[in-house]
Amino acid sequence: TVFIRPDEILKIGVYSWLLIALPVVSYLVTHPSDLFTARGTELFLFFGPAVLCVGILFKFNKIINDKLIRLDHEREELQRRSEQDPLTRLWNRRGIRTRIDDLIRTNKSAAYGVVLFDIDHFKQINDRYGHDVGDRVLCEVAQRCQDALQDNALIGRWGGEEFVVGLYGVSHQK
């Protein structure tokens, strides 16, 4: 059994048809006297409009493929948004869990560590200075953590003022 991708089926069908139709149409165009015979007229009326239809099919195929590519990009963007905290731009709870699970699944022999921490007295910052300042504090903590962490660490916002760091490939040295 031969498997053909759906986007390739149209192309293969059109190319196969063109192998048959183009020589006939080319012959009729280069030998116009044969065009006015009964068989020539029949062939031209059959293959002529079909050549035009093939061109239209190619255009529709391109439009559909372009839309599928755009939809795939939109799906990727929605996926990213569903896993990213909009304030800090860190992974959110869903995103960090997915990344940590993927690391554990693909690197079963590596050592792992998870650190969960929060900002002490954060409610007092919000109450005293307002939520805009509290948001800036969260963003600053997120940025400083990202700057301090190495390539073998992931960080995410667990919720509120809580953050989680996933470490992988760490040694057991004290």
Side-chain angles (χ1 to χ4, degrees):
T1 303
V2 176
F3 293 98
I4 301 172
R5 294 187 347 222
D7 61 329
E8 295 295 319
I9 291 174
L10 175 66
K11 290 179 186 175
I12 291 170
V14 168
Y15 289 140
S16 300
W17 182 84
L18 284 175
L19 285 172
I20 298 167
L22 280 183
V24 172
V25 173
S26 299
Y27 176 81
L28 291 173
V29 168
T30 56
H31 298 85
S33 60
D34 289 347
L35 183 60
F36 299 106
T37 65
R39 180 71 178 145
T41 304
E42 178 184 323
L43 288 172
F44 188 76
L45 289 175
F46 177 73
F47 287 120
V51 169
L52 180 63
C53 290
V54 166
I56 292 169
L57 286 175
F58 271 124
K59 182 65 176 172
F60 282 134
N61 188 42
K62 181 177 177 356
I63 290 169
I64 290 169
N65 280 336
D66 290 347
K67 286 186 179 192
L68 288 173
I69 289 168
R70 185 181 46 98
L71 286 172
D72 193 46
H73 289 300
E74 288 176 7
R75 182 197 54 78
E76 289 171 359
E77 175 64 15
L78 290 172
Q79 179 70 29
R80 183 192 60 77
R81 285 184 184 184
S82 75
E83 294 182 340
Q84 186 181 53
D85 176 51
L87 178 64
T88 62
R89 302 284 185 228
L90 297 177
W91 297 116
N92 63 18
R93 183 182 296 221
R94 176 188 303 171
I96 195 72
R97 274 183 137 164
T98 301
R99 299 306 170 290
I100 290 172
D101 288 346
D102 289 346
L103 283 172
I104 291 170
R105 191 174 25 262
T106 58
N107 302 301
K108 294 186 184 216
S109 62
Y112 302 96
V114 176
V115 177
L116 181 67
F117 69 93
D118 68 353
I119 302 172
D120 288 340
H121 312 293
F122 184 73
K123 183 178 179 333
Q124 292 174 2
I125 294 169
N126 272 341
D127 290 347
R128 185 169 183 181
Y129 300 105
H131 291 278
D132 289 339
V133 172
D135 288 350
R136 288 200 309 257
V137 168
L138 290 171
C139 290
E140 185 67 25
V141 168
Q143 186 60 53
R144 287 185 185 208
C145 287
Q146 282 182 314
D147 292 345
L149 292 172
Q150 299 174 0
D151 290 339
N152 65 337
L154 299 168
I155 183 166
R157 185 170 172 206
W158 197 248
E161 79 281 7
E162 297 172 330
F163 295 85
V164 64
V165 176
L167 303 165
Y168 56 96
V170 295
S171 68
H172 298 287
Q173 297 175 356
K174 293 182 182 181

